[in-house]
């Protein structure tokens, strides 16, 4: 069992590292300008000059996959950053102090948690408009309940442990106990939740862009590319195949890495 756990962690780390390296390269260099159109290369297949072929506007698919992966990563980072930061603070205060505040906030959290995060994000985007930054804000807000629930549970588990009682007897303030003594002991669970959050954020961004309410053209996005490619599945299968494979590998890497970290925390 331990061997299987370590295998998940190792494969996830390698796969995630490779995908992030490709995305990082795409931030600084791509073979072609992802937005440049070439009418003579429309829907051309794989070749030495275009490793993944070209799309319906003659744009290099490999360049757009690299840029689209960067867009997806940016959205995932922003989403998890907002969701984790707000969720940690909310979960820490409700889990540590409890009482009426805990009941009120957790009941509101339960109401939000009852709806799928992507559905909440769709509602928020409908209200505030589409675009990369609006998607980040909408998904970040939608991810707060899941992080708050996880952190609250860990604080409830830890707040009556001996090291916390000793800190209270020594006169240590509540905020220091919460964020210096308790929070570090929640990191294994929180790190696993963050990695799984990345996985979910990548899928959510791709889904919203696929529906046309996420990242807007001409900015490259994996979900948007899949949406544009669905008309050409038989005439130019690489148009959908390569962005789809890239998205699957990115999600798989984060998923295996998150499972590996979670399994390590259980030992």
């Amino acid at each position: 069992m331990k061997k299987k756990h370590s295998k998940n962690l190792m494969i996830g780390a390698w796969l995630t590292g490779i995908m992030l390296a490709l995305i990082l390269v795409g931030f600084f260099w791509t073979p072609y300008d992802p937005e440049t159109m070439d009418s003579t290369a429309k829907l051309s297949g794989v070749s030495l000059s275009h490793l993944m072929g070209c799309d319906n506007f003659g744009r290099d698919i490999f360049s757009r996959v690299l840029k689209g992966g960067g867009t997806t990563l940016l959205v995932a980072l922003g989403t998890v950053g907002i969701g984790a930061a707000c969720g940690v603070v909310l979960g820490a205060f409700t889990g540590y102090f409890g009482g009426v505040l805990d009941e009120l906030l957790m009941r509101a959290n339960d109401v939000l948690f009852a709806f799928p995060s992507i559905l909440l994000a769709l509602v928020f985007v409908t209200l505030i408009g589409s675009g990369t930054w609006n998607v980040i804000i909408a998904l970040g807000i939608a991810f707060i309940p899941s992080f708050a629930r996880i952190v609250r549970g860990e604080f409830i588990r830890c707040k009556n442990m001996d090291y916390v009682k000793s800190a209270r007897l020594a006169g240590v303030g509540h905020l220091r106990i919460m964020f210096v003594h308790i929070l570090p002991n929640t990191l294994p669970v929180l790190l696993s939740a963050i990695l799984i959050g990345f996985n979910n954020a990548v899928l959510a961004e791709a889904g919203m862009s696929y529906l046309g309410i996420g990242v807007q053209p001409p900015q490259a996005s994996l979900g948007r590319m899949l949406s544009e490619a669905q008309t050409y599945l038989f005439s130019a299968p690489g148009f959908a195949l390569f962005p789809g494979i890239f998205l699957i590998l990115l999600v798989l890497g984060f998923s295996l890495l998150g499972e590996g970290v979670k399994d390590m925390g259980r030992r």
Side-chain angles (χ1 to χ4, degrees):
M1 184 66 70
K2 289 184 177 181
K3 188 174 182 180
K4 181 182 177 181
H5 293 167
S6 60
K7 188 176 180 180
N8 285 341
L9 184 63
M10 183 180 67
I11 295 175
W14 274 101
L15 187 54
T16 302
I18 291 170
M19 302 308 292
L20 291 181
L22 288 172
I23 290 172
L24 185 61
V25 168
F27 277 118
F28 301 101
W29 173 85
T30 54
Y32 298 88
D33 184 340
E35 311 304 334
T36 298
M37 302 180 187
D38 182 1
S39 58
T40 63
K42 288 183 179 180
L43 300 177
S44 60
V46 175
S47 65
L48 291 177
S49 56
H50 297 285
L51 296 179
M52 294 182 178
C54 295
D55 66 8
N56 55 321
F57 292 107
R59 298 172 297 190
D60 183 61
I61 292 176
F62 182 52
S63 299
R64 289 185 63 77
V65 164
L66 293 179
K67 278 294 183 183
T71 301
T72 298
L73 182 64
L74 175 64
V75 172
L77 282 171
T79 296
V80 174
I82 293 172
C86 297
V88 164
V89 173
L90 182 62
F93 274 91
T94 55
Y96 183 81
F97 290 107
V100 177
L101 178 65
D102 178 36
E103 285 296 321
L104 290 175
L105 291 178
M106 282 301 104
R107 294 299 73 78
N109 191 73
D110 289 341
V111 171
L112 292 175
F113 199 75
F115 296 93
S117 57
I118 191 169
L119 180 60
L120 289 177
L122 288 173
V123 173
F124 290 135
V125 167
T126 302
L127 295 174
I128 64 180
S130 58
T132 304
W133 294 107
N134 286 347
V135 169
I136 290 174
I137 293 170
L139 286 174
I141 294 172
F143 275 48
I144 291 174
S146 59
F147 283 105
R149 179 183 288 269
I150 291 169
V151 174
R152 174 181 177 267
E154 288 298 297
F155 267 69
I156 290 175
R157 181 181 65 84
C158 294
K159 69 179 181 179
N160 291 319
M161 289 187 172
D162 291 340
Y163 71 90
V164 176
K165 293 178 180 179
S166 299
R168 289 197 190 107
L169 291 174
V172 178
H174 290 305
L175 290 179
R176 184 174 178 82
I177 291 175
M178 290 166 59
F179 296 106
V180 176
H181 294 271
I182 297 180
L183 185 60
N185 288 288
T186 70
L187 288 181
V189 174
L190 185 58
L191 179 58
S192 175
I194 287 172
L195 290 170
I196 294 172
F198 266 108
N199 184 25
N200 294 334
V202 167
L203 289 174
E205 184 280 325
M208 294 178 69
S209 295
Y210 180 85
L211 294 173
I213 57 174
V215 176
Q216 297 300 299
Q219 187 175 5
S221 163
L222 297 177
R224 189 80 191 183
M225 292 179 71
L226 290 173
S227 177
E228 294 170 349
Q230 61 184 347
T231 308
Y232 308 97
L233 286 177
F234 297 104
S235 58
F239 189 3
L241 183 63
F242 293 116
I245 290 175
F246 194 93
L247 181 62
I248 289 170
L249 292 178
L250 186 61
V251 169
L252 181 62
F254 278 124
S255 179
L256 290 175
L257 191 59
E259 287 297 321
V261 170
K262 182 189 293 185
D263 292 335
M264 286 185 64
R266 290 171 180 167
R267 295 180 188 178

